[in-house]
Amino acid sequence: MLLFFGNKIVKVEILDRNGTVAVTSDKNFVFPKNIESDEDSILIIKGTDLKEFTKDERVHVISTTKAGDRIKYPGMVTVSLNTQLNVRIIKSHDTEVLQERRRYFKIKVFERGRVLFMVRDDETTRFEEPVPMEINDINIGGIFMVTSIPLQQDDIVCIDVDLFIDYRLNAVARVLRVQRNPDGSIKGYGCAFQGLTASQEDYIGKYIYKVQSAQRQKEIAKERPF
């Protein structure tokens, strides 16, 4: 199953068996938070005059994140009324990313920060002194960071980094991948933000825009004739 952690889902669509969009909702829905577990994951949509399906009818669910990612899941209707539609998302390898339209692309940066604590297998390790870390790239969805802490996939870390002089980002991120050098040593960790607030997303976006603008100005300066 695929899910872009840290990106709020702002819209869901239900495709019928013919691939036609039958239901669209951008507010009156509850997307399952246990999408990565083995438990049943039920999407609930409420409204008026919703299209009614037969029970156990196969459909597809398309979720759209705030960052613009669109992910398609196979599903099966479990409840269908004109005021409520429940769809069980089927755990399979048929999940696919349809489109990625992030408002801000990943950019290369060099920012110093701190790791405050980490969680592994529900056990929290708090550091007496924050452990230094570096951010090598960032987008609204996550970061690539380098730190001396030996992390593993699915570890959770709390980071603290100054993106602006007057703003400190304190956020939680999950390790999605451990990236290694050709010799096997660890190069760094690809992490996805978890549960960013709208304010945090806006600050990250402003930071990215600021860096992109500065980079563009340097490119323009190089292109100018003497």
Side-chain angles (χ1 to χ4, degrees):
M1 300 296 291
L2 296 174
L3 184 65
F4 286 87
F5 294 96
N7 285 330
K8 180 180 179 181
I9 293 174
V10 296
K11 179 182 177 181
V12 293
E13 300 165 271
I14 305 298
L15 307 186
D16 61 22
R17 64 183 67 185
N18 297 317
T20 302
V21 177
V23 176
T24 299
S25 179
D26 58 7
K27 57 182 179 180
N28 296 319
F29 67 88
V30 178
F31 196 86
K33 294 182 179 180
N34 64 340
I35 195 74
E36 292 291 327
S37 75
D38 294 329
E39 301 172 351
D40 280 352
S41 299
I42 305 296
L43 165 67
I44 301 173
I45 301 175
K46 294 188 177 182
T48 57
D49 298 323
L50 295 175
K51 175 182 172 60
E52 294 189 40
F53 297 85
T54 59
K55 189 175 184 303
D56 296 334
E57 182 172 342
R58 291 297 185 103
V59 295
H60 277 94
V61 176
I62 298 179
S63 66
T64 302
T65 72
K66 188 174 182 179
D69 301 303
R70 299 179 71 238
I71 311 169
K72 182 179 178 182
Y73 305 89
M76 178 181 292
V77 174
T78 58
V79 174
S80 183
L81 306 170
N82 65 349
T83 57
Q84 181 170 328
L85 175 64
N86 291 9
V87 177
R88 178 170 62 85
I89 294 178
I90 300 172
K91 309 298 176 71
S92 73
H93 297 293
D94 293 334
T95 301
E96 61 178 311
V97 178
L98 297 181
Q99 188 173 352
E100 294 184 70
R101 299 179 298 181
R102 290 181 174 84
R103 294 174 301 167
Y104 304 97
F105 295 98
K106 182 182 295 183
I107 59 169
K108 296 292 183 182
V109 296
F110 179 79
E111 295 288 353
R112 297 184 185 276
R114 300 150 290 278
V115 180
L116 305 183
F117 65 83
M118 63 168 285
V119 180
R120 178 179 298 165
D121 298 329
D122 296 326
E123 183 175 335
T124 302
T125 300
R126 298 186 180 276
F127 306 110
E128 293 184 7
E129 294 291 336
V131 179
M133 52 86 76
E134 298 172 0
I135 294 178
N136 289 168
D137 63 45
I138 185 172
N139 66 6
I140 287 182
I143 57 172
F144 183 83
M145 74 173 190
V146 177
T147 181
S148 61
I149 305 171
L151 298 174
Q152 300 177 9
Q153 184 176 345
D154 291 330
D155 282 352
I156 301 293
V157 293
C158 178
I159 64 168
D160 190 65
V161 59
D162 297 322
L163 294 186
F164 289 107
I165 295 176
D166 61 344
Y167 179 74
R168 174 175 288 179
L169 175 67
N170 186 281
V172 173
R174 177 187 177 193
V175 177
L176 295 185
R177 72 179 188 280
V178 178
Q179 188 165 324
R180 297 182 179 275
N181 293 307
D183 63 1
S185 61
I186 294 177
K187 181 177 182 180
Y189 305 95
C191 305
F193 289 126
Q194 304 282 278
L196 289 180
T197 65
S199 175
Q200 287 175 316
E201 286 188 345
D202 287 341
Y203 270 107
I204 294 172
K206 290 176 183 177
Y207 169 80
I208 292 173
Y209 179 77
K210 175 184 175 182
V211 174
Q212 288 176 326
S213 296
Q215 291 175 346
R216 181 55 182 160
Q217 289 302 315
K218 288 182 180 180
E219 292 174 0
I220 292 174
K222 290 180 180 179
E223 295 171 357
R224 287 174 181 167
F226 291 101

